Amino acid sequence: MAAGRGARMWRFDAGRICLDLVATERAGGVPGTCEQLGGPGHLAQWLTDARLVPPGTALGELDDTWVARFHELRSDISRLMAAQLGGLPADGALERVNSRASAAPPGPRAVRGADGGLVRALSAAPDCAGLLAVVARDAVDLLTDPVARAALRRCQGEACHRLYLDTSRGGRRRWCSGEVCGNRERVARHRRRTSGTTGAPGPATPGAYGPGEPGPPGPEKENPPGVE
């Protein structure tokens, strides 16, 4: 699922909102990556697109301080997930995430919309601590759930740093998205196979493509959702 507007397009397909937040950071040393939560406007839109606040929620108090605090939580979650995948211990980050999780998240309520149907609203104007608590609690839930923790993966796509939960059958998913990094890898693999050839391409060599791969993909072709 992708959302956003203008130059900012966010994906919410990592399997947990805490991992979707980590995906907004600049990947150290990876070409073409940028800070996706660069200011109050970007954070406000991300909070809405992530469904942490209902559309139209007033966020009059949101300022650069909120942005800095979300950056700090994002960094701590990123360190905890890296440690879970075999990196350095991050006990200090764990303490800070636990502290963020202890705040009270904004309370939801059902109200009548313009068409008379029920829509979600918040019982009070959300503050920064409450919204941080939603994400921090999600990280705590992930790290303390043995099944979810065992499904944590880092994308094997070239120049991709995304984390995701592998819920595929057999747990052998390699990419954060088969339609993005997976298709990009298949295109690159095909180009490597055909580089240096001349004339019209002949029929595909039997066995040249893995199970479920449809043959030489075009530059813009994407496989259907779920195909790795």
Side-chain angles (χ1 to χ4, degrees):
M1 172 183 167
R5 65 183 179 186
R8 292 294 189 276
M9 286 295 293
W10 295 291
R11 283 167 45 197
F12 298 97
D13 55 3
R16 301 298 284 257
I17 194 62
C18 64
L19 301 183
D20 290 326
L21 176 63
V22 171
T24 67
E25 68 183 347
R26 182 194 301 271
V30 177
T33 59
C34 64
E35 172 58 63
Q36 296 184 46
L37 299 180
H42 295 150
L43 177 58
Q45 189 63 42
W46 186 85
L47 291 170
T48 302
D49 291 344
R51 303 186 68 185
L52 293 185
V53 300
T57 300
L59 295 169
E61 300 298 318
L62 197 161
D63 58 13
D64 287 331
T65 301
W66 284 44
V67 177
R69 293 174 70 185
F70 267 88
H71 284 184
E72 290 167 1
L73 176 61
R74 182 181 66 183
S75 177
D76 284 335
I77 293 174
S78 180
R79 289 179 59 202
L80 287 171
M81 299 304 163
Q84 183 61 40
L85 291 172
L88 297 174
D91 291 342
L94 181 60
E95 293 174 4
R96 289 187 293 271
V97 169
N98 281 334
S99 177
R100 300 283 196 200
S102 66
R109 56 184 306 199
V111 299
R112 294 289 177 188
D115 62 355
L118 292 174
V119 297
R120 186 171 69 96
L122 299 180
S123 56
D127 61 6
C128 187
L131 293 174
L132 288 168
V134 176
V135 183
R137 290 182 180 203
D138 184 61
V140 170
D141 286 344
L142 191 163
L143 291 168
T144 56
D145 180 343
V147 175
R149 196 170 61 225
L152 181 65
R153 304 282 188 274
R154 191 178 296 279
C155 183
Q156 296 180 37
E158 184 176 355
C160 184
H161 69 294
R162 284 177 178 266
L163 297 165
Y164 63 93
L165 294 187
D166 180 4
T167 57
S168 65
R169 184 176 300 175
R172 293 181 293 180
R173 181 175 153 196
R174 296 177 52 203
W175 302 297
C176 61
S177 168
E179 300 141 69
V180 181
C181 288
N183 196 59
R184 189 179 296 142
E185 173 64 21
R186 286 186 285 268
V187 169
R189 192 187 312 161
H190 174 65
R191 286 174 176 165
R192 288 193 297 269
R193 288 188 179 121
T194 58
S195 62
T197 60
T198 58
T205 302
Y209 290 86
E213 295 187 2
E220 304 298 327
K221 179 179 176 62
E222 292 191 356
N223 286 328
V227 175
E228 297 295 329

